Amino acid sequence: MTDRLPMSRRAVLTAGTIGALSAALPLGSAHAAIAPAVREDPATGKPNARASALRFRPDGMFKIVQFNDTQDDELTDRRTVELIEKVLDQEKPDFVVINGDVISSGCETRLAVKQAINNVVWPMESRGIAWAVTYGNHDEDSLPESGVDEAGMLDIYRSYEHNMNAANESGLTGTSNTIVSIGSAAKKNREAFVLWLLDSGRYAPGDIDGQDFTGYPDWDWLRMDQVSWYREQSQRLEQKRGRKIPGLMFIHIALWEHRFMWWGGVDTRAPEDAARGRARHGIVGERNEDECPGPINSGMYNAILERGDVRGVFVGHDHVNDYVGNYYGVLLGYAPGTGFGAYGLDGAERNRLRGGRVFELTENGDDVSIQTRVVYARDLDIDLAANDQPMEPLPLAPAQEAV
């Protein structure tokens, strides 16, 4: 864990404006249509060469799977890939988000970084499933040895046919802040739902105004320009389409509101406080470690409450939490850690919570209902032994060899 100066690389990294726009195209048999094309950005109306067509199925359904914290090197634990593959084959999602910490330390070369990434994303790519990533605090752990930073990883991700990460936008904090738009099943060229994928950063700076962060959480946080970007893009989308488009937001590091929700208050920590939080906010699932937001409350939840379009914020980062609740009208939740090579529960239970979160969206006129649940490795006949089972890297396709 390395501290950074206030004007760190994160402060000057560029980030993507827009992901993808929906369009009414014929559907495939297993999941929604994916047809790379030059289409307009859903908020600005400008052409976007990365845009792909995603839309609700004719029955009004759309399924998303969230994985996170695969967090390994090129010798990925084989069970991580097995879990991803079995979830994909069972759930047949239309879109997958890997919500941060795709890789970690241990990758000593650029080739190793590409192999580590390929191990995790090839299950989607080989099945023709649209996917994107957010960035976590560990993705650059191998940077000193490999020389591959987040921008370099983005080049690798975007070399895959079915990746939907946006290019970087100059002046916006983070890497590849992305909007993915999902079209209506019933109305041509009309968005029904929006996914907001934001980079929540890595670690807090070494100090601000000569004051360090001793005693405070040392994780990063969404910066105000990212909050403003969300508000502005949300407003533009509403103005362009004449209504607010419902959606979900995915970030790696939890908001402070995740912690407030669980405890039913700000300074409370007693069992009766947690019971109050669970009852008030309808929380289901486990909390086995402290939520780890950064030392500064970004204000993103306040912006979401103001705009009224984002229906939920889902995170990773804290591998052994898998709960979800309704915090004053906004779902706040976790997907458990997916990667068997990363930390888990203690002792023999290390891998009990490995899994992915499923979102089942149903379009009903201008509204979309959301059902969510977790699929666990323990229910998919996957070995849960508390050991490491590294695999040989999966072969790279020519497009990834060349990047």
Side-chain angles (χ1 to χ4, degrees), residues 274-295:
R276 179 180 63 239
R278 289 195 298 272
R280 176 193 294 157
H281 303 298
I283 298 172
V284 295
E286 296 186 31
R287 178 189 184 272
N288 294 294
E289 63 177 312
D290 287 341
E291 300 83 359
C292 294

Side-chain angles (χ1 to χ4, degrees), residues 320 344-351 386:
V320 290
L345 293 166
D346 291 336
E349 287 216 317
R350 170 180 162 179
N351 294 318

Side-chain angles (χ1 to χ4, degrees), residues 9 29 35 43 51 95 103 108 114 119 128 143 159 190 207 252 277 287 313 319 324 377 397:
R9 232 179 31 77
S29 58
F95 184 79
I103 67 172
E108 297 181 352
K114 290 193 288 187
N119 289 343
L143 175 59
S159 71
R190 179 180 174 90
D207 67 80
H252 182 69
R287 178 189 184 272
V313 182
H319 302 187
V324 60

Side-chain angles (χ1 to χ4, degrees), residues 362-398:
T362 305
E363 183 183 13
N364 183 14
D366 287 343
D367 196 18
V368 173
S369 64
I370 303 168
Q371 298 292 326
T372 184
R373 55 189 166 81
V374 176
V375 177
Y376 297 98
R378 64 182 187 244
D379 299 322
L380 296 173
D381 195 29
I382 295 173
D383 180 12
L384 301 183
N387 60 1
D388 296 321
Q389 299 182 22
M391 58 179 272
E392 290 299 314
L394 297 174
L396 294 175

Side-chain angles (χ1 to χ4, degrees), residues 50 65 67-70 95-103 117 120-121 124 130-136 139 150 153-158 160 162-166 175-180 196-200 250-252:
R50 290 296 295 184
V65 169
F67 299 117
N68 46 254
D69 299 283
T70 51
F95 184 79
V96 171
V97 56
I98 308 175
N99 200 17
D101 284 358
V102 179
I103 67 172
I117 288 172
V120 173
V121 306
M124 284 80 74
W131 60 275
V133 307
T134 68
Y135 286 87
D139 283 301
E150 288 180 353
M153 292 175 204
L154 182 59
D155 290 339
I156 297 170
Y157 292 131
R158 283 168 56 84
Y160 287 90
H162 300 293
N163 174 260
M164 296 183 69
N165 276 94
T175 304
S176 190
N177 298 299
T178 297
I179 302 172
V180 174
W196 304 85
L197 313 180
L198 277 74
D199 177 5
S200 57
F250 294 93
I251 56 177
H252 182 69

Side-chain angles (χ1 to χ4, degrees), residues 25 29 32 34 39 48 70 98 132 175 204 214 217 239 256 261 270 281 300 310-311 328 361-362 376:
L25 295 175
S29 58
I34 307 166
R39 305 190 183 279
N48 185 330
T70 51
I98 308 175
T175 304
T214 302
Q239 290 166 3
W256 274 100
M261 180 181 74
H281 303 298
M300 178 58 84
V310 169
R311 304 291 178 81
Y328 301 105
L361 312 180
T362 305
Y376 297 98

